[in-house]
Amino acid sequence: FDELAAAVVAEAAVLSRAAAALAALDVASALAELAAERRHVRPRVDQSLAFAVKAGRHPVVEAALARSGEQFVPNDCELSADDSGAAPGAQSRGDAPDQKRLWLLTGPNMAGKSTFLRQNALIAIMAQMGAFVPADEAHIGVVDRLFSRVGAADDLARGRSTFMVEMVETAAILNQAGERSLVILDEIGRGTATYDGLSIAWAAVEHLHEVNRSRALFATHYHELTVLAEKLSHLANATMRVKEWKGDVVFLHEVGPGAADRSYGIQVAKLAGLPAPVIARAQAVLAALEKGGEGTKTAKLIDDLPLFSASARPAAPAAESAVERELKALNPDELTPKQALELVYRLKGLVRGE
């Protein structure tokens, strides 16, 4: 054994080079196989400030959907910060916002905002690690740093609430991101009071646009922020498209220009299984708030709307029908076949009112 160990040590340099070569071959062949199987394309990576992705897809979500026989809905993303950033054909779909480096993305939960943010960050990472990317075309100007603020988490051991962690991460982005960075921000300001959160999100968007000048995707439920597109020349409004059908919301998972006019939160809550009285009460409160405007006091809701206990009270049971009384009175084990057949006819007559 000692002789074998000594022989291995003597060839350590050669063995290390062989291991490194095999590792590189393994990575390259695996990425090539993945690209062939999942229709990935070779991205164009250069020193520009381009970020133009045509029909981009989330590689993990797409693979998960494929296992259940579903197809992923691809979307374009154009965040190029200079005139040289437009990839050939990047706007051919005709439904992407004008070329801007900062997109403000609105739309309901479950519609795909977070997936869209993450897929473009993953495409940037894959492009710069030498992999083909899940898209029809991609032109990525080299990204020096990728900043991400998504999801909800706390750090209770250090005394940090969910909102505090969100603010710490947002601060790191606003203090460090530059024009060559790629930033994805999801729902900034939602962990505090409405006006506080809106004000923070508003100021963060302006800072990203004017100071950081990064290529960025900013997802939000604060529809008030969409007016900034009139003021900030490099900001575009984009929205997740949805359709309403018989009171329910249908998610199309498509990104298009414009702004969402509502968040469809109650419809999503209904899909999640909230009790019907809660949904009904929420709809009534929402209607009153929208009708009352900003000056509406919450106390007024108590006066003007029925108490929740009243709306939640179950309806009085309906009177027992003749068929129900007949069924309760009989014992199936005591019926002969002929009596059972006669019972069926008698019940049918009761239903008809005979």
Side-chain angles (χ1 to χ4, degrees), residues 35-288:
E37 289 180 353
R38 300 187 181 175
R39 300 180 297 104
H40 293 186
V41 299
R42 180 179 180 179
R44 175 185 169 193
V45 181
D46 55 27
Q47 293 296 322
S48 71
L49 292 176
F51 193 96
V53 176
K54 180 181 178 183
R57 312 185 301 276
H58 192 298
V60 179
V61 176
E62 182 182 38
L65 289 175
R67 286 195 292 269
S68 59
E70 300 180 60
Q71 289 189 336
F72 186 89
V73 178
N75 281 294
D76 296 353
C77 184
E78 171 65 74
L79 301 175
S80 299
D82 60 358
D83 293 337
S84 65
Q91 299 296 316
S92 62
R93 286 159 62 107
D95 59 357
D98 294 336
Q99 182 175 319
K100 307 285 185 178
R101 66 169 179 263
L102 172 59
W103 278 18
L104 192 67
L105 184 63
T106 53
N109 286 317
M110 302 284 292
K113 297 194 303 297
S114 296
T115 299
F116 182 71
L117 266 60
R118 288 171 168 87
Q119 79 183 37
N120 285 290
L122 285 172
I123 287 172
I125 292 172
M126 294 175 70
Q128 291 190 200
M129 65 180 271
F132 280 28
V133 299
D136 287 355
E137 295 180 31
H139 179 191
I140 310 291
V142 171
V143 173
D144 63 352
R145 286 171 295 183
L146 172 61
F147 292 97
S148 170
R149 166 55 228 169
V150 296
D154 55 38
D155 190 354
L156 299 181
R158 297 184 182 179
R160 292 178 176 178
S161 66
T162 300
F163 181 66
M164 183 61 177
V165 171
E166 176 187 323
M167 290 297 98
V168 168
E169 293 179 356
T170 304
I173 294 172
L174 298 181
N175 286 320
Q176 298 179 48
E179 69 172 11
R180 192 162 284 282
S181 303
L182 177 64
V183 176
I184 59 172
L185 288 159
D186 198 1
E187 304 297 354
I188 295 300
R190 299 296 290 180
T192 187
T194 301
Y195 288 144
D196 284 357
L198 172 59
S199 301
I200 292 170
W202 188 296
V205 170
E206 291 182 337
H207 195 278
L208 273 172
H209 185 278
E210 298 296 324
V211 180
N212 303 109
R213 303 179 67 82
S214 306
R215 292 162 287 180
L217 293 169
F218 193 110
T220 184
H221 278 289
Y222 292 128
H223 302 146
E224 296 87 347
L225 296 180
T226 58
V227 300
L228 286 171
E230 301 174 7
K231 169 188 173 185
L232 305 178
S233 59
H234 295 286
L235 183 146
N237 286 323
T239 185
M240 304 301 303
R241 290 174 172 165
V242 297
K243 293 288 186 183
E244 287 190 77
W245 176 255
K246 296 182 178 179
D248 292 326
V249 60
V250 179
F251 304 115
L252 304 181
H253 304 297
E254 295 178 356
V255 179
D261 58 351
R262 52 191 297 199
S263 289
Y264 298 95
I266 295 177
Q267 286 87 340
V268 174
K270 182 179 178 182
L271 288 174
L274 263 65
V278 175
I279 297 299
R281 174 61 170 166
Q283 290 172 333
V285 172
L286 177 63

